[in-house]
Amino acid sequence: MRKWDENGFDDEGDDSVLDYSAAAADGDSDAPYEAQTPGIEQDSWSRRTAGGEIVLKDLDDEMNSILSAAAEKNAALAENTKALSGGIVSSGFGAVSGLFRNLVGGKQLSAEDLVKPLKDMQDHLIKRNVAREAAERLCESVKRDLLGSKTASFQSIDSVIRVSLEKALTLMLTPTSSLDLLRSIAATTARNRAAATSGAGQRRPYVISIVGVNGVGKSTTLAKLAFLLLENNYRVLVVGGDTFRSGAVEQLRVHVKNLQSLIASRQTTGKIDLYERGYGKDPAHIARDAITLASQADPSTDSATSFDVVLIDTAGRRHNDARLMSSLEGFARLANPDKIFMVGEALVGSDSVAQARDFYNAFGFNTDGTKRGLDGYIVSKCDTVGEMVGTIVSMVHATGVPVVAVGVGQHYPDLRTLSVAWCTRLLMQ
Ligand code: GDP
């Protein structure tokens, strides 16, 4: 019989009993990844900055074709896409602008004129899965910008609303780019190098951990992040921190092997390895040991640390499972990640907002007493649902945590940055 301790882990030392993996994955894990990835040209998913970093492209109109292609295969999505119709595919004025159509006429707009269209706009946003409070905030912004303005033509009212909504969404979504993350990693790498040269100061790789409920796409997203880092010549140590679900470590091993064979044919000095200790052990200790290992100098390459980035997978957990959620606090303290990203699904009807709030509150406090929240969301499966923008807006509004990237497919390059202009366009349809 398996015995779990109060944190939901098996007793230390009993891992042999729990390790069902045996040789399971090794046999079938060697499928060449290229076979699964049709086009992986760099400019299909990324662009190179003037500084030489390879950053993710914005999620944009490309999404229309991704959704249309998926819709062809999936009747439910086809309905969904049709509902957004004019929407996703056409570029005409959207539903929101239409609500203000009767206001055109060259007169100054009063608060009274705006009551009905703003109420209708709020209902429209709520139907698009935007939480009521967030919808109210967006409508307030549009109201402020329209009040007292003269609307000579429909075109002008459309653009005032678009600009106003975009401004409000930019404030609300505070989107961050993959460049911010890459620069932050570069700063840590430079600090380690300086510490090695001067012989003073601690060396520590950049640590990222990925959390989320089961099945949302944590390990796939971790692999996509690893791919981006490898393309930027970083050396990545992936840590099997899901010591709970049988098969989780093997799944990571498959990703690591795939990525190793993928980069062999690419121009990168990056490398990737897996650190794992099987099942049943406390992931916080495994993470700490992996970080210690990655912090050691690498004499063979003359590097300050043997890995630049440590990417830690964690066990999926129900966000309302108090017992498992509480172990995240100890994890954050011991592994002390530079970034904690939550992977959440874009699926309509999923409880992403409650997930976001519960994960945001799970990590306790930093040593200086400030709150240790989440550092970003990565919203997965955006390619499978047309109406995810409202869910994204609601998640960010509930916590103030930005969206770092969005997942748009099952392949390693299928990661993009969220574009506010694109969100605005979709919400106005
Ligand atoms: P985990 O249990 O959270 O680690 O989830 P996995 O990484 O195993 O992913 C669960 C499933 O979701 C897998 O079949 C993935 O291929 C799929 N998945 C992950 N991200 C995306 C995405 O952005 N788009 C699509 N279409 N599928 C995804």
Side-chain angles (χ1 to χ4, degrees):
M1 285 288 284
R2 207 179 296 168
K3 290 207 176 61
W4 307 107
D5 67 15
E6 72 273 13
N7 290 323
F9 296 108
D10 186 55
D11 288 339
E12 290 268 332
D14 270 359
D15 50 310
S16 54
V17 183
L18 273 177
D19 192 349
Y20 301 111
S21 50
D26 262 330
D28 56 1
S29 64
D30 289 331
Y33 189 70
E34 284 78 354
Q36 309 163 38
T37 306
I40 199 167
E41 299 80 21
Q42 206 166 72
D43 60 2
S44 67
W45 61 278
S46 64
R47 61 185 172 80
R48 193 180 282 274
T49 65
E53 296 102 338
I54 292 173
V55 297
L56 299 174
K57 272 189 171 175
D58 274 0
L59 176 65
D60 212 328
D61 291 331
E62 161 207 30
M63 200 56 198
N64 303 343
S65 55
I66 292 178
L67 280 170
S68 310
E72 274 172 26
K73 294 190 205 135
N74 175 338
L77 181 62
E79 275 309 302
N80 193 345
T81 307
K82 206 159 65 200
L84 285 169
S85 74
I88 290 191
V89 188
S90 87
S91 59
F93 294 114
V96 166
S97 313
L99 301 172
F100 293 81
R101 191 179 284 273
N102 291 338
L103 299 180
V104 181
K107 63 163 189 157
Q108 295 240 324
L109 290 178
S110 67
E112 204 179 315
D113 294 328
L114 293 174
V115 172
K116 169 124 185 25
L118 283 172
K119 166 80 180 61
D120 292 345
M121 177 180 166
Q122 190 173 317
D123 292 345
H124 170 88
L125 293 175
I126 291 169
K127 264 193 231 133
R128 289 265 177 276
N129 298 310
V130 177
R132 178 171 297 276
E133 247 180 76
E136 276 170 12
R137 213 170 121 193
L138 293 173
C139 290
E140 262 310 302
S141 158
V142 171
K143 180 178 175 185
R144 262 195 313 276
D145 288 341
L146 280 179
L147 261 186
S149 69
K150 256 199 200 142
T151 57
S153 70
F154 188 51
Q155 181 111 30
S156 66
I157 205 165
D158 179 78
S159 69
V160 172
I161 296 169
R162 195 174 295 274
V163 169
S164 173
L165 205 53
E166 199 167 315
K167 199 171 61 185
L169 274 175
T170 305
L171 278 178
M172 200 184 275
L173 292 175
T174 54
T176 62
S177 81
S178 51
L179 188 57
D180 297 331
L181 178 66
L182 292 171
R183 294 229 162 116
S184 176
I185 296 171
T188 299
T189 310
R191 215 167 29 243
N192 286 331
R193 219 175 293 125
T197 314
S198 68
Q202 291 256 319
R203 281 176 261 170
R204 189 176 193 267
Y206 197 86
V207 180
I208 300 175
S209 69
I210 305 284
V211 298
V213 308
N214 257 329
V216 291
K218 276 186 311 302
S219 50
T220 309
T221 303
L222 181 146
K224 290 176 182 176
L225 271 182
F227 177 64
L228 173 69
L229 297 172
L230 289 167
E231 291 281 279
N232 280 283
N233 299 317
Y234 284 116
R235 298 159 311 149
V236 181
L237 185 62
V238 171
V239 182
D242 182 352
T243 58
F244 198 69
R245 184 174 58 102
S246 148
V249 173
E250 287 66 35
Q251 196 177 341
L252 274 190
R253 187 177 295 131
V254 171
H255 281 308
V256 168
K257 280 195 170 178
N258 285 339
L259 286 164
Q260 281 169 341
S261 70
L262 185 61
I263 60 169
S265 59
R266 299 178 78 79
Q267 283 197 328
T268 169
T269 55
K271 71 165 183 177
I272 183 162
D273 269 321
L274 176 67
Y275 183 94
E276 55 102 353
R277 287 292 174 267
Y279 295 94
K281 297 214 173 82
D282 179 3
H285 287 99
I286 295 180
R288 188 198 51 192
D289 293 347
I291 295 165
T292 307
L293 177 90
S295 306
Q296 318 283 313
D298 180 354
S300 66
T301 61
D302 197 24
S303 300
T305 55
S306 44
F307 290 90
D308 306 303
V309 183
V310 173
L311 267 181
I312 310 170
D313 187 28
T314 59
R317 59 200 84 211
R318 291 296 310 162
H319 59 102
N320 45 13
D321 178 338
R323 213 166 51 112
L324 265 183
M325 287 300 281
S326 69
S327 67
L328 284 175
E329 194 171 333
F331 175 82
R333 215 173 22 242
L334 216 57
N336 192 17
D338 293 275
K339 293 276 188 263
I340 304 177
F341 294 144
M342 184 193 113
V343 178
E345 283 176 322
L347 302 184
V348 173
S350 73
D351 53 356
S352 309
V353 178
Q355 282 173 26
R357 206 179 272 126
D358 290 345
F359 273 97
Y360 178 72
N361 287 321
F363 298 99
F365 294 88
N366 295 309
T367 43
D368 63 3
T370 52
K371 177 154 176 42
R372 180 64 172 105
L374 288 165
D375 299 295
Y377 298 120
I378 302 181
V379 184
S380 62
K381 309 188 188 180
C382 289
D383 52 312
T384 62
V385 53
E387 296 204 42
M388 79 291 191
V389 174
T391 311
I392 293 177
V393 171
S394 306
M395 282 168 73
V396 176
H397 182 259
T399 54
V401 172
V403 174
V404 178
V406 291
V408 294
Q410 296 180 292
H411 299 307
Y412 298 142
D414 293 337
L415 205 57
R416 299 287 182 278
T417 311
L418 189 66
S419 138
V420 175
W422 188 80
C423 289
T424 309
R425 221 174 316 137
L426 223 59
L427 280 180
M428 285 183 72
Q429 304 296 348

